[in-house]
Amino acid sequence: LEWITERVLQGLAGGEPMPPQALLFLLRRYAATGRADLSDALGPSLARALDVCTPSSDATAQPEHSASFDASEWLMLFTEAAALSEDDRLPVAVDSVAAALMRRWPSQGGVAEAARSVEACLAAAAISEAVPVSSAIDELERIVGLTYQPGEGLARSLNRAGRERGLLRDHVAMASAMLGAYSAAGRLPYSMLAEELM
């Protein structure tokens, strides 16, 4: 973990583009250790992302430091950062990015991407009244209904014509979303399906 932490810090210091997953890793390391150098490195990167993701700009725009804007990953980062920071822009960004994700529902395309969007919105619902848990649960159940076959796992795509078996990433993303749904709604079948998928 220390090697990864130092590598991400070096990348930030060198101006390398950092995906939201790397920043989320640093944020979680900061939460666990309280290291001031992590806070100092995260601050400017979060500020740049927030400048792009606030309502005064296009919430689906691409942050300049990201190779491809993945709203689900940025939403997870902003949601966790909002719990650790008093920056008023973070809750606004959570609402804005969550709204952009929910406008894309019903999801199309890959199962992993669809599951991640639901999981991110479920996480955001814990801190935002603007993100309805019921909508995220409905979307998750729709995705499962289209792609899950008992004993067969998930399909790779929400396209009924393409019944190619899901990859590990599809199963992991859906299991994670199911655990998020279980945390939000307390329905035991969600945790049971997560266990089955794993």
Side-chain angles (χ1 to χ4, degrees), residues 64-179:
E64 60 187 77
H65 57 287
S66 174
S68 62
F69 182 75
D70 186 334
S72 301
E73 303 299 339
W74 287 108
L75 181 56
M76 292 296 283
L77 173 64
F78 294 152
T79 299
E80 290 195 31
L84 298 174
S85 172
E86 296 180 3
D87 190 328
D88 293 338
R89 295 176 300 167
L90 283 165
V92 173
V94 167
D95 291 350
S96 178
V97 177
L101 275 175
M102 290 186 295
R103 281 194 298 272
R104 298 178 191 169
W105 294 348
S107 300
Q108 305 294 321
V111 169
E113 293 77 11
R116 280 199 306 265
S117 79
V118 171
E119 181 183 13
C121 288
L122 285 168
I127 66 162
S128 173
E129 294 179 8
V131 184
V133 170
S134 60
S135 295
I137 296 284
D138 289 347
E139 176 65 1
L140 184 63
E141 289 185 355
R142 187 189 75 82
I143 295 165
V144 170
L146 288 172
T147 62
Y148 172 69
Q149 293 292 323
E152 299 294 324
L154 296 167
R156 191 171 177 184
S157 169
L158 278 85
N159 178 357
R160 286 192 177 273
R163 295 306 301 173
E164 185 178 352
R165 183 170 166 80
L167 301 175
L168 176 61
R169 71 186 198 110
D170 300 306
H171 287 78
V172 169
M174 182 58 74
S176 187
M178 283 289 165
L179 291 176

